[in-house]
Amino acid sequence: MSDFGIETSKMLTLSTSHITEKTANRLSKDPDDNNLGLCVYLKAGYGYYIAIDDHAITEENLPDDLKRVIRFAAFMDCQTLCLDCDGSVCDFLPTYDW
């Protein structure tokens, strides 16, 4: 809660290059078929918003690249992960060309 009694949250924005093309394709389908079991919102062709909750952090059936960025967002105490094609590239996270 903020000082004004309004709920606020923190979001980490990273480049979509931190996930593989295969993972990106799965994220694009997730709002329709919930194949990953996450709360995913498409970002109009530019990326994804992913809710970071206990389920997202502990889900073992996620692709390793996605687990890595979700756990990093949780480590940064963020409630949302934004993967954006123009987002920041983090030097210590793997990147993928696609």
Side-chain angles (χ1 to χ4, degrees):
M1 275 296 170
S2 73
D3 291 339
F4 301 105
I6 300 169
E7 186 174 333
T8 61
S9 63
K10 207 167 141 181
M11 179 173 66
L12 174 65
T13 301
L14 293 173
S15 171
T16 51
S17 70
H18 289 300
I19 59 171
T20 65
E21 185 174 13
K22 182 178 180 181
T23 297
N25 290 335
R26 289 184 68 187
L27 284 169
S28 293
K29 295 175 186 174
D30 202 67
D32 294 328
D33 64 14
N34 199 30
N35 72 73
L36 294 168
L38 300 174
C39 184
V40 177
Y41 298 92
L42 301 181
K43 199 173 172 203
Y46 296 99
Y48 316 92
Y49 292 110
I50 302 168
I52 305 300
D53 58 15
D54 290 339
H55 173 73
I57 297 165
T58 60
E59 177 59 54
E60 290 298 322
N61 294 322
L62 297 177
D64 287 340
D65 55 331
L66 187 56
K67 272 194 266 192
R68 192 175 296 113
V69 293
I70 285 173
R71 288 179 179 166
F72 179 57
F75 172 77
M76 297 297 293
D77 197 31
C78 295
Q79 292 76 37
T80 305
L81 170 62
C82 173
L83 293 172
D84 187 287
C85 61
D86 295 320
S88 299
V89 174
C90 188
D91 291 339
F92 57 82
L93 292 173
T95 57
Y96 307 90
D97 293 323
W98 51 281

